[in-house]
Amino acid sequence: MEHFTIATVAEKSPDFRRVLWTGQRTQLVIMTIPAGGEIGEEVHEGIDQILTFVSGTGEARVAGERREVVQGDLVVVPAGTRHNFVNTGPNPLVLYTVYGPPEHADQAVHRTKAEADAAEAAGQDEPPTA
């Protein structure tokens, strides 16, 4: 059994992205977006994403709509939907997200967005295959 006190685990991570668990059909990832930072506009073809915000304030930009996000909010991003999440506050925007199916390499840790972008560009952040 895997067990996480997820808000506590997410709050303690300084990393931009950290994969906590990868299954055959889903993946659990925690993220910390620094003040003024963002996840970056993207589209996941064939992958649904559910994001839950642990602390901080930000803006969800999903399918052309914008909405403020704060602690306790949850945003669903259906597969094929353009999206971005931007930290609009002075503190880190901390969240956890579930991908279905997995989006990132198992146990991947990216300290910064630049590191995450470089790993993706180099093909080093591919999800496991069945």
Side-chain angles (χ1 to χ4, degrees), residues 3-25:
H3 176 269
F4 301 98
T5 305
I6 193 65
T8 302
V9 172
E11 281 284 346
K12 289 182 179 179
S13 176
D15 301 312
F16 175 75
R17 180 186 302 132
R18 177 179 291 269
V19 175
L20 290 183
W21 181 83
T22 302
Q24 184 177 354
R25 295 181 182 89

Side-chain angles (χ1 to χ4, degrees), residues 43-49 76-82 100-101:
V43 175
H44 302 298
E45 296 296 341
I47 298 172
D48 292 321
Q49 186 175 8
V76 174
V77 179
T81 304
R82 184 166 304 283

Side-chain angles (χ1 to χ4, degrees), residues 19-86:
V19 175
L20 290 183
W21 181 83
T22 302
Q24 184 177 354
R25 295 181 182 89
T26 57
Q27 184 174 61
L28 175 62
V29 176
I30 55 177
M31 298 186 76
T32 300
I33 313 305
E38 63 182 83
I39 289 176
E41 188 173 80
E42 59 189 358
V43 175
H44 302 298
E45 296 296 341
I47 298 172
D48 292 321
Q49 186 175 8
I50 299 170
L51 303 94
T52 304
F53 296 85
V54 173
S55 65
T57 57
E59 183 178 76
R61 301 175 182 174
V62 180
E65 293 184 50
R66 294 175 181 234
R67 186 158 304 163
E68 179 184 31
V69 290
V70 297
Q71 179 182 4
D73 285 351
L74 182 145
V75 177
V76 174
V77 179
T81 304
R82 184 166 304 283
H83 62 282
N84 191 7
F85 295 87
V86 178

